[in-house]
Amino acid sequence: MAAPELEQLIGLLSKLPALGPRSARRAVLSLLRQKESKFVPLVTAMQTVLEKVDACPVCGNMDTLKPCAICQDEKRDKTLVCVVQDVADLWALERAGAFKGVYHVLGGVLSALDGIGPDELSIDGLIQKVAQGTVKEIVLALPATVEGQTTVHYLSDRLSEYDVNVSTLSRGVPVGGELDYLDDGTLQLAFKARRNV
Amino acid sequence: MAAPELEQLIGLLSKLPALGPRSARRAVLSLLRQKESKFVPLVTAMQTVLEKVDACPVCGNMDTLKPCAICQDEKRDKTLVCVVQDVADLWALERAGAFKGVYHVLGGVLSALDGIGPDELSIDGLIQKVAQGTVKEIVLALPATVEGQTTVHYLSDRLSEYDVNVSTLSRGVPVGGELDYLDDGTLQLAFKARRNV
């Protein structure tokens, strides 16, 4: 019953992940209440990102630079490539500061249910990088789900014909994890992969 | 670790109600993945709303028209004024199609804890409307919380010196409500206000 311009904005916002029609409505009203302090900066920031940010042609990261800041960084080890599902995972690893090589964003994982096969993912680009011979190790940092692990097996199979070391993240008890709250699969894996103190 | 332009947009989005840093990040990435189909229409719709939509000077509704479409509607009963907490409640009543009068948005409810007194709300405007003598009934459609009911008492007190009928929404069992899942307060009120079939 609001103006069509408002209904259209609410409709577009409610299609974003984590927002539904009710929270989109609340968000729009909160923006309208603080036009100068909230709405104007948000629209400006959106325009800037829309104009300047694009996928890096080398790794798939989202950045204002082409290639992205990580691919351009002289200090990063270009012989070490970490394969991630999407840009959100890349950012999570960067926040953790756990990795000093470069990345390759797959754009998803293999999923028969969702109809995602090897052709839907950026796998050829990864193979080409490896075929050039400069990459020494590929770290497959994919989710510990059935689809993620299927993708790990598929990729390690495809990469086996090249002279490159393929690794994956270790599994076990997360930092701060109470054993009582962990699932059976994680506990079994953590026991199998136990190590001397 | 993302580009500063991206970090700024994520920071602004995460201040919206219902969005946190993680969901803001997911929303931005989902927009960047579908630039033409999602991002461009969203930015356009935001600009349109930012430029065209403002609070109605008569009732406080958000609309492109001034006064808003409801205040301008000849068919609506101007002698009947429904007082609501905010524009979201006004839209909810309009969606229900339950009311054919006009509205008055208070901009909140009285709350000692949050430091919201009568001067923070649009109460003077309501009194002025009533003092003009054309309003016959004021429906106080305020939330059934302690703050909402405090506001109902305060407003009915202020309005008692004018020749206007003051009413409030009925309380009871909501449509589809299982008695077993309702709180004691609602059940007690529903019993007290029981009526013949």
Side-chain angles (χ1 to χ4, degrees):
Chain A
M1 278 299 177
E5 290 87 348
L6 278 167
E7 289 293 354
Q8 203 200 350
L9 176 57
I10 292 166
L12 287 167
L13 273 179
S14 65
K15 278 178 210 144
L16 291 181
L19 278 177
R22 190 176 300 262
S23 41
R25 232 177 279 133
R26 284 180 57 207
V28 169
L29 284 173
S30 125
L31 286 172
L32 281 170
R33 268 195 293 270
Q34 292 148 285
K35 269 196 174 181
E36 291 309 316
S37 65
K38 270 186 161 184
F39 208 167
V40 174
L42 181 62
V43 171
T44 314
M46 279 203 154
Q47 274 175 317
T48 313
V49 166
L50 178 60
E51 282 161 22
K52 291 196 180 169
V53 175
D54 233 324
C56 168
V58 179
C59 73
N61 185 19
M62 290 290 179
D63 201 5
T64 46
L65 303 172
K66 269 188 182 186
C68 76
I70 294 173
C71 288
Q72 283 193 20
D73 191 343
E74 296 280 322
K75 286 182 202 140
R76 301 192 77 122
D77 187 354
K78 304 285 191 299
T79 66
L80 201 59
V81 175
C82 177
V83 176
V84 290
Q85 178 180 221
D86 55 31
V87 179
D89 290 358
L90 189 162
W91 290 353
L93 289 170
E94 280 301 289
R95 280 197 302 279
F99 182 67
K100 292 295 163 211
V102 291
Y103 293 91
H104 182 88
V105 178
L106 275 191
V109 284
L110 296 174
S111 165
L113 272 178
D114 299 330
I116 301 176
D119 294 340
E120 272 73 44
L121 304 177
S122 149
I123 290 177
D124 288 340
L126 178 67
I127 303 289
Q128 278 168 27
K129 271 184 205 169
V130 174
Q132 287 167 8
T134 50
V135 179
K136 284 182 192 156
E137 181 173 353
I138 298 277
V139 187
L140 300 173
L142 295 172
T145 58
V146 174
E147 289 83 7
Q149 294 315 296
T150 310
T151 316
V152 165
H153 286 130
Y154 178 84
L155 287 178
S156 58
D157 198 48
R158 286 281 300 267
L159 292 166
S160 61
E161 55 185 289
Y162 299 95
D163 181 26
V164 65
N165 188 20
V166 180
S167 60
T168 178
L169 297 185
S170 75
R171 307 251 172 272
V173 181
V175 174
E178 293 271 13
L179 297 192
D180 195 19
Y181 288 88
L182 279 174
D183 60 298
D184 297 348
T186 304
L187 286 177
Q188 284 163 11
L189 275 169
F191 250 91
K192 262 192 215 160
R194 68 187 177 279
R195 51 195 200 80
N196 294 326
V197 179
Chain B
M1 276 301 176
E5 290 88 348
L6 277 168
E7 289 292 353
Q8 204 200 351
L9 176 57
I10 292 165
L12 287 167
L13 273 179
S14 65
K15 278 178 208 146
L16 290 181
L19 279 177
R22 188 176 300 262
S23 40
R25 231 176 280 133
R26 281 180 58 208
V28 169
L29 285 173
S30 123
L31 286 173
L32 281 171
R33 268 195 293 269
Q34 292 148 286
K35 269 196 173 181
E36 292 309 317
S37 65
K38 270 186 161 185
F39 208 168
V40 174
L42 181 62
V43 171
T44 315
M46 280 203 154
Q47 274 175 316
T48 312
V49 166
L50 179 60
E51 281 162 22
K52 291 196 180 169
V53 175
D54 233 324
C56 168
V58 179
C59 73
N61 184 19
M62 290 291 178
D63 202 6
T64 45
L65 302 172
K66 269 187 182 188
C68 75
I70 294 173
C71 288
Q72 283 193 20
D73 190 344
E74 296 280 322
K75 287 183 202 139
R76 300 192 77 121
D77 187 354
K78 303 284 191 300
T79 66
L80 201 59
V81 175
C82 177
V83 176
V84 289
Q85 177 179 224
D86 56 30
V87 179
D89 290 358
L90 190 162
W91 290 352
L93 289 171
E94 281 299 292
R95 278 197 303 279
F99 182 66
K100 291 296 163 212
V102 291
Y103 292 91
H104 182 90
V105 178
L106 275 189
V109 284
L110 296 173
S111 165
L113 271 177
D114 299 330
I116 300 175
D119 294 341
E120 272 73 43
L121 304 178
S122 149
I123 291 177
D124 287 342
L126 179 66
I127 303 289
Q128 279 169 27
K129 271 183 205 170
V130 174
Q132 288 168 6
T134 49
V135 179
K136 284 183 191 155
E137 180 173 355
I138 298 276
V139 187
L140 300 173
L142 296 171
T145 58
V146 174
E147 290 82 7
Q149 295 314 294
T150 310
T151 316
V152 164
H153 286 130
Y154 177 84
L155 287 177
S156 58
D157 199 49
R158 286 281 300 268
L159 291 167
S160 62
E161 53 184 291
Y162 299 95
D163 180 26
V164 65
N165 188 22
V166 179
S167 60
T168 178
L169 297 184
S170 74
R171 306 253 172 271
V173 181
V175 174
E178 293 271 12
L179 297 192
D180 195 19
Y181 288 89
L182 279 175
D183 61 298
D184 298 349
T186 304
L187 285 178
Q188 284 162 13
L189 275 170
F191 250 91
K192 262 192 215 161
R194 68 186 178 279
R195 50 191 201 83
N196 293 326
V197 179

